[in-house]
Amino acid sequence: MFTLDERLAADTVELDRWSLCRVLLMNDAGYPWLVLVPERVGLRDLDELSAPDRMQAMDEIVRAAGILRALFRPDKLNIASLGNQVAQLHVHVVARFKTDPAWPRPIWGVQPPKPYTAEALADFRRRFAAAQK
Amino acid sequence: MFTLDERLAADTVELDRWSLCRVLLMNDAGYPWLVLVPERVGLRDLDELSAPDRMQAMDEIVRAAGILRALFRPDKLNIASLGNQVAQLHVHVVARFKTDPAWPRPIWGVQPPKPYTAEALADFRRRFAAAQK
């Protein structure tokens, strides 16, 4: 049975469950940052997904990207499956801005996460849900 | 008409041309590091690919991953479309090792690239071609 990695569970909040992926928000108000986790057991890398799951993963990545684009009008999207620290397969989908703290570098490790306030989190959830309609 | 971004052209060597992507080797012997560039004009982000191109991109990403896996038996694959510095859409497919200089961090910006020797490059080309068969 699929269970979310403990570190991912600690660092994120769940926004939704799509057909393949659990849709998480990284609890870091520094960047609009989604994490998609295919609900499949024991996978570490994208190429371990079955062929149909791979296509579904691409669809959901594009869907997540579209929502961030609509909500934030970013300068760039960063999409990445790294997983050197958390082994469970997960895909980062991040809205980047020329004014963000890490630009033009990748975001990982640049600054400690700034957790959302309860209010900001509720606002994100509301906007995310509205953008899915 | 598609032309490869000048910085990508300077930093890589071409290994092959697949049905969608140009297959480049990052000229950095620090990591086995491929870069896939869809031969489409004016794209910056994965979600700008047409639906069929997106599926083809996923296939070619998995194909590149499989070749790196077969050749290097890495501990992890890193797959990423970042493009904060080079705007042209390109996807990194990198073989990572627990013993590599950046582990467990992402590779970008950790150390200056170490260009391949002519001999090492010829060897990589030969092994890459053999792995495709």
Side-chain angles (χ1 to χ4, degrees):
Chain A
M1 213 189 98
F2 174 83
T3 53
L4 186 62
D5 173 272
E6 283 181 13
R7 177 147 168 206
L8 283 176
D11 291 348
T12 66
V13 295
E14 184 175 321
L15 293 174
D16 204 351
R17 294 183 184 196
W18 289 347
S19 126
L20 176 65
C21 294
R22 210 163 280 197
V23 185
L24 310 173
L25 174 66
M26 188 63 79
N27 192 9
D28 181 354
Y31 317 88
W33 180 349
L34 304 177
V35 178
L36 301 181
V37 185
E39 293 189 319
R40 295 289 181 264
V41 176
L43 301 194
R44 298 180 63 226
D45 280 300
L46 271 180
D47 64 328
E48 295 167 356
L49 288 166
S50 69
D53 280 356
R54 231 178 263 158
M55 299 300 130
Q56 185 63 29
M58 182 57 104
D59 277 345
E60 296 187 7
I61 288 167
V62 166
R63 184 175 169 194
I67 292 174
L68 289 184
R69 225 184 249 294
L71 291 180
F72 298 99
R73 309 206 169 280
D75 295 314
K76 189 71 188 71
L77 293 168
N78 286 178
I79 295 170
S81 162
L82 303 177
N84 307 327
Q85 312 214 25
V86 168
Q88 185 172 66
L89 175 59
H90 61 286
V91 180
H92 302 273
V93 183
V94 191
R96 298 298 308 275
F97 301 90
K98 291 180 180 170
T99 54
D100 75 35
W103 186 269
R105 290 165 298 164
I107 53 175
W108 299 276
V110 168
Q111 61 174 22
K114 299 182 187 174
Y116 285 93
T117 63
E119 197 171 82
L121 189 56
D123 185 57
F124 195 106
R125 279 187 190 287
R126 203 163 34 235
R127 296 176 68 196
F128 185 86
Q132 285 202 70
K133 280 175 190 159
Chain B
M1 212 188 96
F2 174 83
T3 52
L4 186 62
D5 172 272
E6 282 181 15
R7 178 147 168 207
L8 283 176
D11 292 348
T12 66
V13 295
E14 184 176 320
L15 292 174
D16 204 351
R17 296 184 183 195
W18 290 346
S19 128
L20 176 65
C21 294
R22 210 163 282 199
V23 185
L24 310 174
L25 173 67
M26 188 66 78
N27 192 9
D28 182 353
Y31 317 89
W33 179 349
L34 303 178
V35 178
L36 301 181
V37 185
E39 293 189 320
R40 296 287 182 265
V41 176
L43 301 193
R44 298 180 64 226
D45 280 300
L46 270 179
D47 64 329
E48 295 167 357
L49 287 167
S50 69
D53 279 355
R54 232 179 263 159
M55 298 300 131
Q56 184 62 28
M58 183 56 106
D59 277 345
E60 296 186 7
I61 288 167
V62 166
R63 185 175 169 193
I67 291 173
L68 290 184
R69 224 184 250 294
L71 291 181
F72 298 99
R73 309 206 169 281
D75 294 313
K76 187 73 187 71
L77 292 169
N78 286 177
I79 295 170
S81 162
L82 304 175
N84 307 327
Q85 312 215 24
V86 167
Q88 184 172 67
L89 174 60
H90 60 286
V91 180
H92 302 272
V93 183
V94 190
R96 299 297 309 273
F97 301 89
K98 291 179 181 170
T99 53
D100 75 34
W103 186 269
R105 291 164 298 164
I107 53 174
W108 299 276
V110 169
Q111 61 173 23
K114 299 182 187 175
Y116 285 93
T117 62
E119 197 170 83
L121 189 55
D123 184 57
F124 194 105
R125 279 187 190 288
R126 201 161 36 232
R127 295 177 67 196
F128 185 86
Q132 285 203 70
K133 281 177 190 158

